[in-house]
């Protein structure tokens, strides 16, 4: 059996908070009980031609297993979930609905959250920052309100834990430092349930170890 | 056999340009040669509790086939593509790579494009509009430059036409009125190749007919 190899930043800009996109892939691999190697890349290496042959947009992660190389964290999580137990239900309809939540996490819930993070990173010194941040908070709250109503008092989004929950929780974690999650107690509890899973903890510790080792060496 | 039913706006805000999210679903159904019904909804009905039981975020489209109801256009296209010929390669590795392009279209290429559209719609009268639009154009150009290099002079992204091309082209079409596509001749030609497909033309005509019928009635 070939070893799975993923790529990740050698010095993640999130300072070990598990917000880089290797985190959901590590989590999925841990849920599936799969061993994997990690190839660490500098920012320059991620943008270089060699890496771009596997990742056209110069990002991490990639996933290599034998002859197959994949990019896009959502696609990698789905690939793992389709081939190993623990991340998708067996029933075909339930499986399709779990995959719908994977797409919802990345195409509906995440974009306003990432936009808010980008504004915080790159527009903090612009005259418009405060006014625009209020607009972005409102867009994020619209999504969180909808999600909170759907989640109600259930444990996971649709039956048992699935790759849809994994990606949704990975996306929501970007809001941890914003205080916005605390406005929706059932969402905060849902994220905490995800973070309490042993597979999440192993994945989180593995990416944190990379960050701390690099910081100590630097 | 049950009839597939999708939901769409009775009066699409894009004025029949095929930019609403029923369009990629219609296109996929046409590529797969599947008949379908369309349930048209007002803006109020899309936000109402009944529709939200199928679509938690109050959006279109949904997809209903027998007991299965799905939301998220990407998930619906994947569901169709996995069950019918014409949208995914048979080879398992090539299939995984085509699915990676589906996720890339919606999570990497689309977000800056939608953000640019939202700014044009909602921030046109703000003092910061021109300065910020230049930042957004730069973000869109970064993605288009990467895509243009990967596409090079090939017909489709990875071998034959796939659901990855379908979603990528559907996303790129949002830029048609911006002039940005014309800066990348191979991308403009790629979009035109998609639009020339008979299945695209049938889907486009069907959504345009809805808009024109409603406009005439209004």
């Amino acid at each position: 059996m070939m070893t799975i190899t993923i790529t990740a930043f050698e010095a993640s800009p999130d300072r070990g908070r598990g917000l880089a996109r290797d985190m959901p892939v590590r989590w999925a691999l841990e849920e599936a009980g799969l061993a994997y190697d990690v190839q660490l890349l500098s920012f320059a290496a991620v943008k270089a031609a060699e890496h771009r042959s596997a990742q056209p947009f110069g990002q991490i992660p990639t996933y290599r297993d034998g002859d197959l190389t994949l990019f896009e964290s959502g696609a990698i999580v789905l690939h793992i979930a389709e081939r190993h137990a623990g991340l998708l239900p067996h029933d075909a309809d339930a499986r399709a609905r779990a995959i719908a939540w994977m797409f919802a996490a990345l195409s509906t819930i995440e974009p306003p959250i990432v936009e808010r993070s980008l504004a915080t990173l790159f527009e903090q010194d612009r005259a418009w920052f405060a006014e625009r941040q209020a607009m972005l908070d409102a867009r994020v709250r619209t999504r969180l309100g909808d999600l909170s109503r759907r989640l109600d008092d259930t444990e996971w989004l649709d039956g048992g834990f699935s790759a849809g929950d994994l990606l949704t929780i990975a996306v929501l974690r970007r809001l941890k430092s914003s205080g916005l999650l605390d406005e929706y107690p059932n969402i905060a509890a849902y994220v905490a349930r995800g973070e309490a899973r042993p597979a999440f903890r192993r994945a989180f510790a593995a990416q944190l170890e990379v960050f701390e080792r690099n910081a100590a060496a630097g």
Side-chain angles (χ1 to χ4, degrees), chain A residues 105-178:
Chain A
L106 297 175
S107 0
T108 297
I109 304 173
E110 186 173 63
I113 294 175
V114 165
E115 192 55 36
R116 189 184 177 283
S117 304
L118 289 175
T120 306
L121 276 173
F122 298 119
E123 299 177 29
Q124 192 102 226
D125 59 344
R126 306 286 177 136
W128 66 67
F129 178 71
E131 191 180 349
R132 202 167 159 265
Q133 196 73 345
M135 296 170 65
L136 291 171
D137 283 354
R139 277 166 60 189
V140 170
R141 284 192 181 99
T142 298
R143 295 289 190 249
L144 294 181
D146 290 343
L147 183 66
S148 176
R149 272 186 293 279
R150 168 53 60 108
L151 194 58
D152 199 16
D153 60 357
T154 59
E155 190 174 12
W156 307 112
L157 286 165
D158 192 341
F161 176 83
S162 80
D165 295 295
L166 186 154
L167 289 181
T168 301
I169 292 166
V171 161
L172 293 170
R173 291 189 72 253
R174 296 185 183 283
L175 291 172
K176 285 191 84 165
S177 63
S178 73

Side-chain angles (χ1 to χ4, degrees), chain A residues 89-109:
Chain A
H90 290 291
D91 172 73
D93 284 2
R95 198 173 179 94
R97 291 198 307 270
I99 294 171
W101 278 108
M102 296 180 68
F103 279 96
L106 297 175
S107 0
T108 297
I109 304 173

Side-chain angles (χ1 to χ4, degrees), chain A residues 76-93:
Chain A
I76 297 169
V77 170
L78 180 58
H79 180 79
I80 296 163
E82 281 179 327
R83 283 156 185 81
H84 302 276
L87 286 161
L88 286 174
H90 290 291
D91 172 73
D93 284 2

